Amino acid sequence: FPTRRSSDLRFGLDILREHQNHIEVRPTIFTFSGNATALNGGPGANQYNSVADFLLGTATTLGNYVQYVYPLTLRTSELAFYVRDQYQVNRKLTVNYGVRYEKYPVPREANKGLNVYDIATNTISICGAAGIPADCGIHVSNKLFAPSVGIAYRPFENLVIRTGYSLSPQTDASMGRQAIQSYPNEAQSTLNGANSFVPAGTVSVTGAPVIPQPTILNGTVQVPANTGNLFTNPLNFVRGYFQSYNFTVEKQFAGDLLAQVGYVGSHAVHVDATYNFNSGPLSGGTARQQLFKYGITATANINLPVLSDKYNSLQATLRKRFAGGLTFNTAFTYQHDIGIQTQNISLPQYFCLNDTTTAIDRTFNLTIGSVYELPFGKGKKFAQSGPLSWIVGGWTLNGMFTRFSGLPFNVTSAAVPCNCPGVGTVPANQVLGSVDEPHAIGTTASYFNPLAFRPAAAGTLGSAGYYRLRGPGATNLDLSIFRTFPITERIKFQLRAESLNLTNTPHFANPGGNVSNATFRSDGTVVLNAFSAISSTAAVGRLIDPRYFRFGVRLTF
């Protein structure tokens, strides 16, 4: 596009068309949670209760599955038009700005639209059949604009100030993915007991639930009892969006050092996720679930903009360009991530409790990576020739050091006494104003004060909230040494020795958080039974966590 020398204007069009043809196989399900042999008002079910349930054949959930449409099909489109410009205001100031228009039509199946559930009649409309509109009247916004702007200012030759902002609509809103896997395309039958202590049935007598063949009449199908895969989209579909913003200062120092420090943040608004609309109130049991009148007690999902997130961080880096045989990169982050990312509870009147520090938040994160060519051998400072040069010359060290703070965790209470379908995690009751955290490690030691909590009373939620305590952090060092031997100009031979977790430092998992597992005695003592105690480790970004050595050779040509 012809522009002035100081401007670089570009525009374009993106068109994405996706076709999915899907076949899947799911097993018949028998769940033995241990609730059938757990004591009402006693400790929560454990693995021994689960074994007892299994031996008795008293399943908490009985499930069956049949796919009626072969293959499941999905047709989606994404359209976008963008225009952007990079404008060189002067030698010191550059501005990037642009806007993108995006359109996401309602997805379809190959020969019809998606299906929509009507809770008032317990029927599903087959969009595009028997005069029903192909989109069933689902409305999506046609006003999705994504602006962005970035500014770089160089007041001095070795100092740069950068800032930027962008807004982007959510691209992964799953309008169609779950819709094609829901009833009646697939039929999943799920049978639950009358309450948390009553089994759904027995394997030998009840068996797997029978799934009737869907009968479509005038473009609608009646949803049978025990259906376990209900899903629908709202008729007014709201697509979420993400905002990102930053402000950084970068400066170059002597010695090939480059430092940067800045603020980085993001804000997620109205992010779509599946929401269970078949929950039941506290102590209400299955009889108070919204779809119980239709004989449906399983989860029933609707796609709603229920998630949100606010991320704020201070980020700093110090890098050394490769010179003198050494390069390194140090990165430090101090952050806080808060919002609704996990639906611990889906009851509408308590949904605000999900707005908290997220389960993936780490306050501090430090990473140092380095490569160092040892100063021995030909062309180096020491041992440039002779037998010693042959032995110690040409070796290179490569290391990675990490240190980060622990992840938040919940202190929970057994969900069985709550008798509230739809509550995934019942918080414990905090009985002390503050919680001491000695951070002791071991199966008989407490990472936090167990006496600060008690099980929530039957039919209630405790006061402990979600993700208020934080588990142990971790320190790790990986190191490798290698040497390359040139055989010819093109053929090279390399020896390598590597160690993961060189110091064999344990990386501990979060402590047990279920207060219902503990026994509180009248003399003030407590039998932990894993509550508040750490009994396992957690791998740091890989499958192998203990110290691990490996040796190898490589031939390149």
Side-chain angles (χ1 to χ4, degrees), residues 261-306:
V261 62
Y263 163 79
V264 177
S266 65
H267 185 199
V269 182
H270 301 317
V271 177
D272 296 287
T274 56
Y275 174 81
N276 177 22
F277 62 89
N278 194 29
S279 58
L282 303 181
S283 73
T286 56
R288 296 286 302 279
Q289 288 182 259
Q290 197 169 183
L291 303 183
F292 179 78
K293 57 186 176 182
Y294 304 127
I296 299 173
T297 59
T299 297
N301 287 322
I302 184 172
N303 208 4
L304 291 180
V306 294

Side-chain angles (χ1 to χ4, degrees), residues 177-259:
R177 192 166 55 249
Q178 274 203 289
I180 66 172
Q181 295 177 295
S182 63
Y183 189 84
N185 292 359
E186 297 179 349
Q188 179 181 335
S189 184
T190 302
L191 182 61
N192 296 312
N195 60 55
S196 301
F197 294 101
V198 177
T202 60
V203 175
S204 59
V205 178
T206 310
V210 177
I211 302 178
Q213 175 82 30
T215 301
I216 301 176
L217 183 63
N218 295 325
T220 63
V221 56
Q222 196 74 30
V223 180
N226 302 326
T227 297
N229 63 326
L230 270 180
F231 173 83
T232 190
N233 283 295
L235 295 182
N236 184 25
F237 184 85
V238 177
R239 184 175 294 270
Y241 62 91
F242 302 89
Q243 298 179 87
S244 301
Y245 26 81
N246 62 79
F247 180 86
T248 61
V249 178
E250 184 178 52
K251 181 175 175 57
Q252 183 174 349
F253 294 91
D256 300 301
L257 294 176
L258 192 65

Side-chain angles (χ1 to χ4, degrees), residues 24-28 63-67 72 181 186-189 209 211 229:
E24 63 181 61
V25 177
R26 298 186 187 179
T28 300
N64 203 357
Y65 169 87
V66 175
Q67 181 176 339
L72 300 173
Q181 295 177 295
E186 297 179 349
Q188 179 181 335
S189 184
I211 302 178
N229 63 326

Side-chain angles (χ1 to χ4, degrees), residues 36-75:
T37 54
L39 181 63
N40 191 347
N46 54 36
Q47 64 269 34
Y48 304 108
N49 294 111
S50 297
V51 172
D53 284 4
F54 174 76
L55 294 176
L56 294 173
T58 51
T60 307
T61 301
L62 298 169
N64 203 357
Y65 169 87
V66 175
Q67 181 176 339
Y68 286 114
V69 176
Y70 288 90
L72 300 173
T73 60
L74 181 63
R75 306 291 184 258

